[in-house]
Amino acid sequence: MKNILVVGGGFAGVQSAIELAKEKKFSVTLLSDRDYLFLYPISIWIPTGEKKFKDVALPLSEISKAHGFSLIKDKVESISAAANTVICTQNSYQYDYLVIATGAAKIQHKGMGNTLSICGNPEVSLDIKNRLDTLIQKKHGKIAIGFGGNPKDKSAVRGGPAFELMFNIHNLLKKKGIRQNFELTFFAPMESPGERMGQKSLSMLDALFKSYNIGKMFGKKITEFAPGAVIFEDGSQLESDLILFIPASTGADFLSNSDIPLTDSGFVKIDDTCQVSGSANIYAVGDAAAIKGPAWIAKQGHIAEIMGRIAAQNIVATENGILRKSTYPPHLNILCIMDTGNGAAFVYRDSKYAFAIPMPGLGHWLKRGWGQYAKLTKKGLFPRLPGL
Ligand SMILES: Cc1cc2nc3c(=O)[nH]c(=O)nc-3n(C[C@H](O)[C@H](O)[C@H](O)COP(=O)(O)OP(=O)(O)OC[C@H]3O[C@@H](n4cnc5c(N)ncnc54)[C@H](O)[C@@H]3O)c2cc1C
């Protein structure tokens, strides 16, 4: 029986493991340094108190039990492709096939310790909640939210959750009747943050910034984060009691200790079938992999799942002697429900279309519904709907 090791228990790795376990003819193991799948898209509600941490962290044991794969909690330190071995903190593991799904690391900026990110270590969402609660108790303050760029890989920039967090904080403060005592400012080094979602989304974002009275500091390169201020290249600064910043992604450190081909940005080089360049038995999927596609493409959760599925299909095809393989580029798009706390917008972009449909009220509940759906399907309690 072929031994397949999937490393990384996020959307990409979990999807690969689920698909591979369906085959029943492999021994499938999911190895991750966390024992839960963190549902990042709904984690934006932890700081505002709408969700508890446990609502967003789904134990991997429940998923592995439902789908029939093994689970190991360990941390990858390096990969030896030459020896078909993954070296971890506690043990080393051999494989016949390996799927790398360990997500991405974050670009480090000077003074990052003065910021908190909703897109990094899941526990930080609780720190953001504590800091926000303190400001709410004081009933006044300045909050700056922004995201950074990665000039070497535009797909590694994540702005959506920064917008969502800003709008949710606005609506929370408004509900508490103290919004007028707070200064909210959005900052980003690009002239038009959110541009990759298309012109309609940009116009919609602009309208929201105006109606929510959120300040904008766009097109200014960030030099460093000081205690209580974001410092920009032109010498100006943005004072803030709470700086929430999403750095762009880069490749994980352990990959540079491994004999795996990487891009300049440290992401794993793959072909259209998600197979690691130059390797016959290693695949890389999700945020860990270098995605090829149009200039607007972004690393997203649903793309991670599609890649996870495609890697699994191609491993099965290889084992069955089928030469024709599945490819991920035809599936690339931007798809998200951008939440505002009291509604949302449905944002879509592919090579033909780009639109944003405002969904006041309903959109928020749709995103909450997606959270329930994601949990139920992962636990095998509800069938996966086509395309979702
Ligand atoms: C706040 C937020 C909101 C988002 N909203 C949306 C959205 O609305 N729609 C959307 O499509 N996408 C969204 N995204 C993006 C989406 O969550 C990511 O693209 C997705 O999580 C990528 O999945 P992944 O499995 O590749 O990586 P990850 O989810 O990062 O998972 C990586 C896994 O690998 C494990 N790991 C890492 N390093 C090691 C190691 N050395 N050893 C062992 N295990 C390791 C981690 O513990 C984790 O389990 C959002 C992201 C964030 C942060």
Side-chain angles (χ1 to χ4, degrees):
M1 196 182 240
K2 288 279 166 68
N3 166 22
I4 308 183
L5 182 62
V6 180
V7 290
F11 286 109
V14 163
Q15 194 60 39
S16 268
I18 289 175
E19 299 292 336
L20 287 161
K22 279 182 193 162
E23 283 303 304
K24 309 283 180 217
K25 60 178 185 183
F26 305 125
S27 161
V28 182
T29 304
L30 180 66
L31 180 150
S32 194
D33 60 356
R34 292 203 283 263
D35 54 11
Y36 56 86
L37 164 68
F38 198 59
L39 298 168
Y40 277 110
I42 57 169
S43 70
I44 48 159
W45 295 319
I46 294 176
T48 49
E50 200 173 329
K51 288 272 178 215
K52 299 249 179 290
F53 192 88
K54 66 174 174 47
D55 302 327
V56 178
L58 184 58
L60 286 174
S61 56
E62 292 185 26
I63 307 175
S64 71
K65 209 157 92 188
H67 296 277
F69 55 82
S70 310
L71 208 55
I72 295 174
K73 188 173 175 200
D74 209 342
K75 186 176 163 85
V76 181
E77 302 287 353
S78 66
I79 295 169
S80 169
N84 290 333
T85 305
V86 174
I87 299 102
C88 292
T89 313
Q90 294 171 36
N91 233 318
S92 292
Y93 306 88
Q94 295 267 301
Y95 58 82
D96 294 309
Y97 287 95
L98 173 68
V99 180
I100 302 171
T102 41
K106 299 290 169 206
I107 290 183
Q108 293 301 306
H109 297 257
K110 194 172 169 199
M112 285 276 281
N114 296 310
T115 73
L116 293 173
S117 171
I118 188 72
C119 285
N121 182 346
E123 275 85 16
V124 176
S125 57
L126 294 169
D127 298 336
I128 299 175
K129 176 170 173 41
N130 288 339
R131 292 280 302 277
L132 189 59
D133 285 350
T134 307
L135 285 178
I136 288 171
Q137 271 163 19
K138 284 189 186 160
K139 293 196 166 54
H140 64 89
K142 293 179 181 174
I143 301 174
I145 304 189
F147 63 94
N150 180 347
K152 291 184 186 162
D153 187 337
K154 298 260 188 302
S155 76
V157 175
R158 182 155 290 146
F163 293 120
E164 290 185 295
L165 197 52
M166 179 63 101
F167 300 145
N168 272 268
I169 289 175
H170 160 88
N171 276 312
L172 177 70
L173 296 175
K174 197 173 155 204
K175 232 186 269 172
K176 293 189 177 290
I178 52 175
R179 171 63 182 93
Q180 66 284 0
N181 305 340
F182 282 82
E183 210 176 289
L184 302 190
T185 311
F186 201 92
F187 65 97
M190 38 315 254
E191 294 290 343
S192 305
E195 194 173 22
R196 67 182 53 230
M197 290 184 287
Q199 200 49 48
K200 295 229 168 69
S201 301
L202 262 191
S203 310
M204 187 199 66
L205 282 172
D206 208 41
L208 281 173
F209 275 102
K210 279 197 188 102
S211 78
Y212 287 1
N213 191 25
I214 294 170
K216 294 192 285 191
M217 274 209 164
F218 294 171
K220 279 173 178 270
K221 287 222 170 75
I222 302 153
T223 313
E224 72 173 287
F225 296 98
V230 186
I231 315 288
F232 298 102
E233 204 177 50
D234 63 4
S236 62
Q237 62 178 61
L238 170 62
E239 281 179 18
S240 178
D241 302 304
L242 174 60
I243 306 170
L244 303 176
F245 176 66
I246 303 178
S249 307
T250 184
D253 281 350
F254 78 82
L255 287 168
S256 48
N257 307 327
S258 308
D259 55 351
I260 298 286
L262 304 177
T263 62
D264 284 352
S265 227
F267 295 112
V268 181
K269 281 189 187 166
I270 55 169
D271 66 15
D272 288 357
T273 70
C274 296
Q275 195 165 352
V276 172
S277 308
S279 161
N281 62 343
I282 308 181
Y283 291 77
V285 292
D287 284 6
I291 298 177
K292 272 187 290 170
W296 46 261
I297 200 63
K299 292 179 187 289
Q300 279 203 287
H302 69 286
I303 301 291
E305 290 198 332
I306 287 167
M307 294 174 85
R309 186 177 306 127
I310 280 173
Q313 282 168 353
N314 289 335
I315 290 172
V316 174
T318 305
E319 282 298 299
N320 291 338
I322 298 168
L323 294 178
R324 196 158 168 216
K325 299 285 168 20
S326 309
T327 57
Y328 76 89
H331 303 279
L332 288 176
N333 56 33
I334 288 181
L335 177 67
C336 75
I337 301 172
M338 186 180 288
D339 187 73
T340 55
N342 62 352
F346 178 76
V347 175
Y348 182 82
R349 181 167 194 179
D350 65 16
S351 45
K352 282 197 197 132
Y353 308 102
F355 55 83
I357 304 171
M359 293 187 294
L362 173 75
H364 180 68
W365 292 100
L366 213 62
K367 185 146 182 155
R368 284 179 67 111
W370 174 84
Q372 289 305 326
Y373 167 79
K375 281 190 222 173
L376 290 174
T377 51
K378 303 274 181 266
K379 289 197 274 185
L381 299 174
F382 193 78
R384 194 79 194 241
L385 304 172
L388 277 177

